[in-house]
Structures are given as C-alpha cells and as structure tokens.
Amino acid sequence: MPETEVANGKYADAAKYLTETSLGRRYSVEETLALRKKFVGKSMYYFYEDDPLKIVRGRAQYLYDKDDNRYLDCINNVSHVGHCHPHVIEASHKQMSQLNTNARFLHDNLVTYAERLAKTMPGDLSICFFTCTGTEANDLAVRLARCYTNHNDVIVLEDAYHGNGSSTVELSSYSFNKPGYGGKPEHVHVAKKPECYRGIYRGNPNSNELGIRYAELVQEEIQMAHKKGQKIAAFLAETMPSCAGQFIPPPGYLRNVYKYVREAGGICIADEVQTGFGRMGKYFWSFEHQGNLSLRVIPDIVTLGKPIGNGHPLSVVVTTPAIAAKFEKFTYFNTFAANPVSCAIGHAVLDVIENENLQKNAETVGYYLLQRAKELLDEFKIIGDVRGLGLFLGIELVKDRKSREPAVEEAASVVDFMKEKHVLIAKDGPDRNIIKLKPPLCFTKANVDTFIATFKQALNNLKL
C-alpha cells in the first residue's frame, strides 16, 4: 500500500483494512469453488468432492463452516495443540511485529529453539538443520546420509509416503507406484511393511518373532543390493507408518533393522513428520516405542514437520555432530527456514504441550479411544482390525474378515455420512479402506464418545 496511507493510519484498524480489500470479501461456496476450478491446479484435490466444506475458522478441536456449523475435527494432526491456540497466535503476532528475516542474521529464537529441541532427543542427536516442510526435511536427511556414507541407495517401506518433491516422491512407493509417476527408481529398495494384520507375516502385533521376521526382509534387500554392486546410504521409514496403513510395527523390528543397516555402512532416518511431539502419549517420539531403558532404539537422523508449528510451515532435521560435520563442506541455506517468527511459534507449541500436559492427555484419551473402538469389533463384522497408540488410530474396514477384502466403497460412505453429522474423519491406506484418526492433542473423552456414537450410526447406515 502507499507509504502515505501507512503514515496517516488509514489501515491501522485491521478489521477496516479487511473490509476495504479482497481479503474481506466473503464468497459463496459456489463462487469459491468456481475460482478454485479456474485458477488452482486440478491435482490439488479437496475433501468431500461432491459436497465440499468451506471452513472459515477453527478453535481447539473444532472447525466451523461458513454458516457457523461446528465440526469435530478427528484428522487434523497439523493443528497439534488445537486450532488457533491463543498462546501460539500471541507468540506469532509478537515476533512478527518486531522482526522476521532470514537465518543468516543471529537471533536468539533460533538458537534457543534448537537447544530446546535437542534436549528432547536421545543419544547424540543434537544438531539441527531447519527447513519449511516435511518434504524438505526428508530430502535434506537423505542428502546428509549420502554425504556421510558416500553411498547412494535408500531402503524404504512398502506403501510409504515421505513428501511431494521430486526426490521424496522417488522414495515414496505410496506415490511412485501410481500411474504417471514412473515407478521405482533403481537406487530405491522397497522392503515389505511390518504390518501384522494384512502383511505377509500375520499374527499378534506384539510378537517379537514377527518383529524379527520383518526385519530380516530388510536384510534381504541389503543383500540383493550388494549383489548388484549397490551400497546402502540409508534406511528411511516412518516409525509409525501412516499412509501405509496406520499401524504399529511389532516389537524388535527397528532394533534389528537399524543393526542390519549400520552393518551395511548405512545410517537410519526416522521420519517423525506425522507422529512426533507426544502424539503417541507415552512417548514424545514414536521411535522410542521400539526400545526400552536397557536397549534404546536411536536413529542417526530424525525428521520433524507438520505438528511442529501447529499449521505454520516449519520443519527440522536433527542429527549427530559426526554426520553434521561431514556436511560442512556444503553451504546450506533455506530462505524462510528458522526465521524468528517460525522459531517463536515452535517455542510456543512446545510451551503448550508442556503447560497443558498434552502428551499425557494423548496417552489417557488415546487409550480410551482405542478401547471404545475395539468394543465395536463384536458388533460390526465390517471392522477387521483396530490398532493404534496414543492419538494415532486406524480402523480397518473389510468386506469379509476371513478374506480381509478391503471395504473401499463402505469406507467412503462412512466418511461422507459422518461429515453430514459434523464429525470429520478420513480414509487412508493403499486401498483407502482404513479410517484414520489423528486429532489435535486437546481431544477429550467426550469427543471420543461423540466419535464412537456417530461412527456406529455410520456403520448401521450401511445396512449390512
């Protein structure tokens, strides 16, 4: 705007500014949809394609549409501490009003936030590289691995998703197996996912034997790569796979996989973009679930994103001093990463998790959610499996429990029905038949009861 208008205070009142610019106009759903179809790429899909929701505000675990109807949000893991948390907003506003610039200037927010993050990590994980998205974090993590090992190849899990950039799509069989994506690159090796309900080894998800057997499949990928003269730079995996099926790997899996990968000269990357920051309840980081006090599972690199900024674009790669030192021969700079506002928001998110005891809430409410969902197994045969930890739950719908044929259309119907009842859920997994629940950590037992009651209505509505 012209400097004179700033000087005379014409736009000092934010509300007035909004009414006098395009930002203040409220479009109808039809107008918004028409503009989106005209000016936004069609591949950027939106929820509820036949009857899209226009959400205009959010508070805590609730979203509100243009008519001020309230929806219970069971899927927005990005808004980790709740939509529009006042402490996060205040931290953002306060810092934005003082300074926002790039990280090539010194600023206390950057160093104190890096120190605070490092203190949540085990072992030598203490050096932070800042990025803006989970995609960028995973891309940089693989660069670090290749630099440190002087190897090139990466082992990933079946149906995994690690981002939407060119390099991370190549590491995501969730993406590269789809038409038009080009298939698996030669330098990528895909191990069968350690999923005990639908995987190649089935049985008790708490079985140490299954953990060992699935880990041996990674060892086989290493051996096949070596026979081709290829060398492993890294094993990259979500420690609690989300898009791959919302499941918890069996005990002992990561411990054995990490051993095999390190023996092969590679390093281990834990993708915590979906499941970090206390979502698992008992554990601040999901990889901690795979170890114990005497035998801890510690990655060489951890990637963080999504919940880290409660919706603000912030992500981090945390690694060891030894790995970081090898990367010093390169100049790394990211224009927006680690700016003072982003770091202030990161601090505020950690404040809320600690001050509102949200990790404990995830454990308590998550356990209640898991038990209430498991109670439905006796009532509804369409539910094949219920699995999860903390506020990370998957409910797999099947046409038949014996064949485990995915109930794809039924899952879609359930999602749409619940939206009409003002409860927002989503479906995921390679067959899109798994109801995934990853709500904000302020979710309550009353919210669980609402979800369960509405979910039962949705299943009954299928008229099976």
Side-chain angles (χ1 to χ4, degrees), residues 34 85 123 127 152 159 193 261 321 347 353 371-372 384 410 445:
H85 194 287
I127 306 298
N152 184 62
D159 298 322
K193 59 186 178 184
V261 171
H347 266 300
I353 293 172
Q371 298 310 307
R372 290 293 320 270
E410 292 84 349
K445 288 184 177 180

Side-chain angles (χ1 to χ4, degrees), residues 124-427:
D124 292 332
L125 290 164
S126 58
I127 306 298
C128 298
F129 290 87
F130 284 78
T131 48
C132 298
T133 66
T135 294
E136 290 183 0
N138 284 325
D139 173 81
L140 180 58
V142 173
R143 286 180 61 195
L144 288 166
R146 287 173 171 156
C147 175
Y148 183 73
T149 63
N150 288 318
H151 298 169
N152 184 62
D153 290 26
V154 181
I155 299 175
V156 296
L157 293 180
E158 175 187 30
D159 298 322
Y161 177 77
H162 296 292
N164 58 19
S166 295
S167 67
T168 49
V169 165
E170 289 184 345
L171 300 168
S172 304
S173 61
Y174 183 85
S175 299
F176 67 59
N177 281 330
K178 294 177 180 177
Y181 279 86
K184 183 183 78 65
E186 189 66 25
H187 64 271
V188 175
H189 309 272
V190 180
K192 292 294 184 182
K193 59 186 178 184
E195 204 264 275
C196 299
Y197 178 73
R198 190 175 290 282
I200 63 170
Y201 301 135
R202 300 178 179 182
N204 184 351
N206 297 315
S207 165
N208 284 283
E209 179 187 352
L210 288 183
I212 292 170
R213 293 176 71 187
Y214 272 114
E216 289 172 347
L217 297 178
V218 176
Q219 177 73 309
E220 290 177 11
E221 292 296 327
I222 294 171
Q223 292 169 347
M224 286 189 288
H226 286 177
K227 286 180 181 179
K228 298 177 183 178
Q230 297 169 290
K231 295 183 178 180
I232 303 301
F235 170 76
L236 168 64
E238 291 180 287
T239 44
M240 300 294 175
S242 180
C243 292
Q246 201 91 352
F247 64 89
I248 314 299
Y253 175 72
L254 279 187
R255 182 171 65 249
N256 287 288
V257 168
Y258 283 12
K259 174 177 176 290
Y260 297 146
V261 171
R262 287 165 177 156
E263 288 174 348
I267 64 175
C268 305
I269 304 171
D271 180 338
E272 294 275 334
V273 170
Q274 296 265 22
T275 55
F277 292 92
R279 176 162 296 280
M280 295 301 139
K282 187 176 181 181
Y283 310 97
F284 200 73
W285 305 114
S286 63
F287 62 78
E288 295 176 292
H289 174 67
Q290 282 273 311
N292 55 50
L293 290 176
S294 61
L295 205 59
R296 303 175 80 185
V297 172
I298 303 177
D300 302 297
I301 301 176
V302 182
T303 58
L304 314 175
K306 287 190 186 294
I308 190 173
N310 211 53
H312 182 83
L314 170 65
S315 60
V316 180
V317 178
V318 186
T319 190
T320 66
I323 292 173
K326 276 288 191 78
F327 201 64
E328 288 176 4
K329 60 185 175 183
F330 300 102
T331 298
Y332 172 73
F333 174 65
N334 186 314
T335 301
F336 299 106
N339 67 71
V341 173
S342 293
C343 292
I345 289 171
H347 266 300
V349 170
L350 290 177
D351 289 343
V352 176
I353 293 172
E354 294 171 9
N355 296 339
E356 298 184 10
N357 209 12
L358 292 185
Q359 184 179 345
K360 183 64 178 178
N361 187 68
E363 181 180 9
T364 303
V365 176
Y367 180 77
Y368 181 68
L369 172 60
L370 182 64
Q371 298 310 307
R372 290 293 320 270
K374 283 185 174 181
E375 290 171 2
L376 302 180
L377 284 164
D378 292 334
E379 187 174 352
F380 297 99
K381 301 304 180 185
I382 192 174
I383 300 177
D385 192 37
V386 175
R387 50 190 181 254
L389 188 67
L391 286 173
F392 177 84
L393 191 81
I395 302 175
E396 182 148 0
L397 303 186
V398 295
K399 293 181 180 293
D400 178 79
R401 285 186 177 176
K402 186 175 181 179
S403 68
R404 303 187 183 186
E405 180 186 351
V408 179
E409 297 83 4
E410 292 84 349
S413 294
V414 166
V415 171
D416 289 340
F417 179 91
M418 294 189 73
K419 186 260 285 190
E420 296 304 317
K421 299 296 182 181
H422 294 185
V423 176
L424 304 182
I425 61 171
K427 58 188 186 298

